[in-house]
Amino acid sequence: MTALLQVDELKTYFFTRDGLFKSVDGISLTVKKGKTLALVGESGSGKSVSMLSLLGLIPQPPGRIVGGKAFFHDRDLLHLPDRELQALRGEKIAMIFQDPMTSLNPYLRVSIQLTEGLRAHHNEISKKEARRRAIEALEHVGIPDAKQRIDRYPHEFSGGMRQRVMIAMALISRPELLIADEPTTALDVTIQAQILNLLKNLQKEMNLSIILITHDLGVVAGMADEICVMYAGKIVERGTADDIFYTPSHPYTIGLLGSMPRLDSGKGDLKAIPGLPPDPSRLPKGCPFADRCPKVMRQCRDDHPLPLRKYSSTQEALCYWEKKEGEKT
């Protein structure tokens, strides 16, 4: 299957008075047409920064993309002139940002926020036609009485409805790639399920490719075709959803899965990963997960296990430890 987006060795560093922060340190990933790739990891692992880098939204300074390539079709996003990248952003590649209440402008009616991006990319569209398409987009994402609600302000919508407005804004120009950054944060579980089902239905209808950013493996269980687990700016494991959920190969992935509540487990089975992620300005010489890892070995502290070790044609992990057949995790 042809790749829609191919990222190779992306590095984004922040140069600050407190030191050099390696927020994204050489990640590579592939997004296929009509498929969903999930980026999973704790806060600070580099998930959002990596995607903001692709869209040219990293504040410079202090941020800087110091290496890598990112081909969308045959165009390298990291080396496009600002005008060409701006033309792609919102038109061919759209993003749903975290927290719709702060992402939507509280001073502007929803109608203005929906139509301004559309008209920016399509000068030929009249205000009347843009409004018609905005109403259609709101109806498409399941907002009732869209004709009446389109002129309301963001605070007049519930959290779930604001998230639907954000999805409508992202998809109004019918992009090829949607980046969804924590699209279900701060929503109750019922609304979470509705938003995820909406994204799945829209994906089938539009043959949309999705990059789903989340810290919650439970969110991606029914969404992702492929999962990349990130830690300290690196991808430490990648594989299909079945690979990650049924045969995890990196202790960090195993820890994330163990910290998820399960209906089929008994009381007391919920486990937290001990410790905290390392300071990205003071990364250790070896594996950054070594101090928290239950499988740590001597070489883990001395050297980083590059490159990723292949376990199958679809699964690889950045780890010296190799799970033995039948070993419980």
Side-chain angles (χ1 to χ4, degrees):
M1 185 177 291
T2 306
L4 178 67
L5 175 69
Q6 178 68 51
V7 178
D8 295 313
E9 292 297 317
L10 172 64
K11 295 182 180 181
T12 302
Y13 296 169
F14 287 84
F15 299 82
T16 74
R17 293 178 180 177
D18 296 324
L20 172 63
F21 289 76
K22 297 182 179 181
S23 294
V24 180
D25 196 17
I27 71 165
S28 299
L29 54 87
T30 301
V31 182
K32 298 174 182 177
K33 186 67 178 174
K35 300 295 182 181
T36 298
L37 170 72
L39 290 179
V40 179
E42 292 170 285
S43 296
S45 60
K47 308 182 300 298
S48 297
V49 172
S50 61
M51 294 301 103
L52 291 172
S53 300
L54 302 184
L55 297 178
L57 298 177
I58 293 295
Q60 301 185 43
R64 190 191 309 163
I65 299 170
V66 299
K69 297 179 179 179
F71 286 98
F72 180 73
H73 293 300
D74 58 347
R75 306 168 74 184
D76 187 354
L77 298 175
L78 304 183
H79 298 93
L80 281 181
D82 289 343
R83 181 172 293 183
E84 291 185 37
L85 183 59
Q86 188 173 355
L88 278 176
R89 195 169 52 220
E91 172 69 7
K92 299 297 183 182
I93 306 174
M95 187 166 184
I96 303 171
F97 296 94
Q98 289 189 46
D99 190 355
M101 192 63 240
T102 56
S103 297
L104 292 168
N105 191 323
Y107 294 101
L108 296 179
R109 298 180 190 274
V110 165
S111 56
I112 296 175
Q113 300 188 60
L114 279 168
T115 57
E116 64 177 354
L118 180 62
R119 297 196 71 207
H121 290 287
H122 300 277
N123 295 325
E124 74 282 0
I125 293 180
S126 65
K127 288 184 179 180
K128 184 177 180 181
E129 173 62 14
R131 182 181 175 86
R132 185 194 66 79
R133 288 179 61 171
I135 293 171
E136 188 178 83
L138 291 179
E139 291 173 342
H140 205 185
V141 297
I143 293 183
D145 301 321
K147 287 183 179 180
Q148 285 72 41
R149 292 190 172 194
I150 193 171
D151 289 314
R152 293 183 180 179
Y153 290 93
H155 72 269
E156 297 180 273
F157 290 80
S158 67
M161 287 298 173
R162 285 195 295 266
Q163 193 62 282
R164 290 172 187 267
V165 170
M166 290 294 296
I167 295 171
M169 287 176 62
L171 299 182
I172 194 168
S173 293
R174 301 189 72 84
E176 296 180 63
L177 174 64
L178 175 66
I179 301 171
D181 191 354
E182 300 280 7
T184 59
T185 298
L187 301 177
D188 63 61
V189 290
T190 303
I191 303 301
Q192 281 186 20
Q194 291 176 4
I195 295 299
L196 293 175
N197 285 331
L198 172 62
L199 287 174
K200 284 195 291 186
N201 292 335
L202 291 171
Q203 181 178 37
K204 291 178 182 178
E205 184 179 328
M206 301 171 63
N207 195 27
L208 185 67
S209 300
I210 297 176
I211 298 176
L212 180 62
I213 301 171
T214 182
H215 63 276
D216 186 355
L217 275 167
V219 167
V220 305
M223 277 286 294
D225 298 291
E226 185 180 3
I227 299 173
C228 291
V229 180
M230 288 192 68
Y231 187 81
K234 293 184 181 292
I235 292 176
V236 297
E237 183 166 4
R238 81 170 92 243
T240 65
D242 285 347
D243 289 334
I244 299 301
F245 280 97
Y246 296 112
T247 58
S249 297
H250 194 285
Y252 178 59
T253 308
I254 294 168
L256 288 178
L257 290 167
S259 66
M260 288 173 54
R262 295 172 58 99
L263 292 176
D264 58 352
S265 64
K267 293 182 179 179
D269 288 338
L270 194 63
K271 300 177 182 178
I273 301 175
L276 296 170
D279 184 339
S281 68
R282 296 177 178 83
L283 292 174
K285 177 183 177 182
C287 176
F289 188 61
D291 288 340
R292 309 173 71 190
C293 182
K295 306 292 184 181
V296 65
M297 298 179 283
R298 180 177 297 175
Q299 63 262 47
C300 300
R301 301 187 185 279
D302 297 331
D303 188 29
H304 210 297
L306 291 171
L308 277 78
R309 174 187 290 181
K310 278 193 169 291
Y311 291 87
S312 70
S313 60
T314 58
Q315 186 178 14
E316 53 189 0
L318 192 66
C319 192
Y320 285 120
W321 172 70
E322 187 170 4
K323 184 175 60 176
K324 298 177 182 178
E325 187 175 350
E327 181 179 356
K328 290 185 177 181
T329 56

